[in-house]
Amino acid sequence: MNRTKSLVQVALMTTIIIILGLLPAIPLGFIPVPIVLQNMGIMLAAILLGAKKGSLAILLFLIVGLFLPVFTGGSTTLVVFAGPTAGYVFAWLLVPLALAGLRQLLPFSQPLISFALIWLSGVLLVDVIGAVYLAHYTNAPLLPSLLSNLAFIPGDTIKAAIATLVGIRYRKQLGLD
Ligand code: BTN
């Protein structure tokens, strides 16, 4: 695939992640981390672009965020990395690599397996790393932090299902299957 096409794909995916950040966050009250839609963009980057280009799209998003308020609610990268959600956003960077690694372990393209792999990498991994960092950030014990993150699982599971369906629809067209 030519370089220009890859660059356009990466830039488009970064744009999609930024656009998803325009949707308002839903605060939960009992935890200083809101429900957002932007993490579905991270799952889409991993599914549609694979390890290298997906990671690049997320990295580009973080670089743009150094200068512009691209995160949900209008935060910038440095503000986010200094706050309670830093763990989740750090974990976002790992999602494309984790998904690619899981795909090598289980190289089947059945929808349910695709969904399970994106759920493990884009939901479980992110929420666990996010919760561990949140416990550290708030000086709280780990278990309550992990338990409070269960609040994200239903919504994140729906996002993973939507991302899987989009992936099934478009991966072939992007030459990834
Ligand atoms: C930020 O904009 O500061 C990042 C927000 C991170 C929110 C995390 S992502 C995983 C989990 N699912 C959600 O809907 N919210 C949290």
Side-chain angles (χ1 to χ4, degrees), residues 28 33-39 71-73 75 80 84-86 88-89 92 122-123 126-127 149 152-153 155-156 159:
L28 286 176
V33 182
I35 292 177
V36 300
L37 211 55
Q38 208 156 35
N39 60 330
F71 284 83
T72 308
S75 284
V80 165
T85 59
Y88 303 94
V89 175
W92 286 357
V123 178
V126 170
D127 288 345
N149 268 262
F152 296 124
I153 299 294
D156 285 353
K159 295 170 213 168

Side-chain angles (χ1 to χ4, degrees), residues 53-110:
K53 286 186 283 174
S55 300
L56 272 177
I58 299 166
L59 200 61
L60 180 61
F61 165 72
L62 295 180
I63 291 170
V64 175
L66 290 173
F67 308 99
L68 295 171
V70 294
F71 284 83
T72 308
S75 284
T76 55
T77 300
L78 291 182
V79 171
V80 165
F81 272 109
T85 59
Y88 303 94
V89 175
F90 168 74
W92 286 357
L93 269 173
L94 307 178
V95 174
L97 278 173
L99 180 62
L102 287 171
R103 272 206 181 119
Q104 288 205 329
L105 286 177
L106 276 174
F108 310 106
S109 57
Q110 284 96 331

Side-chain angles (χ1 to χ4, degrees), residues 106-174:
L106 276 174
F108 310 106
S109 57
Q110 284 96 331
L112 216 58
I113 293 184
S114 302
F115 169 72
L117 301 190
I118 190 60
W119 191 85
L120 288 171
S121 53
V123 178
L124 191 66
L125 178 76
V126 170
D127 288 345
V128 167
I129 293 179
V132 169
Y133 183 78
L134 183 65
H136 163 78
Y137 180 89
T138 54
N139 253 321
L142 182 58
L143 190 62
S145 181
L146 285 168
L147 289 177
S148 59
N149 268 262
L150 290 176
F152 296 124
I153 299 294
D156 285 353
T157 300
I158 293 170
K159 295 170 213 168
I162 295 170
T164 305
L165 292 175
V166 174
I168 289 167
R169 175 79 177 74
Y170 290 105
R171 265 180 70 87
K172 269 205 180 82
Q173 289 178 17
L174 289 168

Side-chain angles (χ1 to χ4, degrees), residues 9 160 176:
Q9 287 177 350
L176 283 161

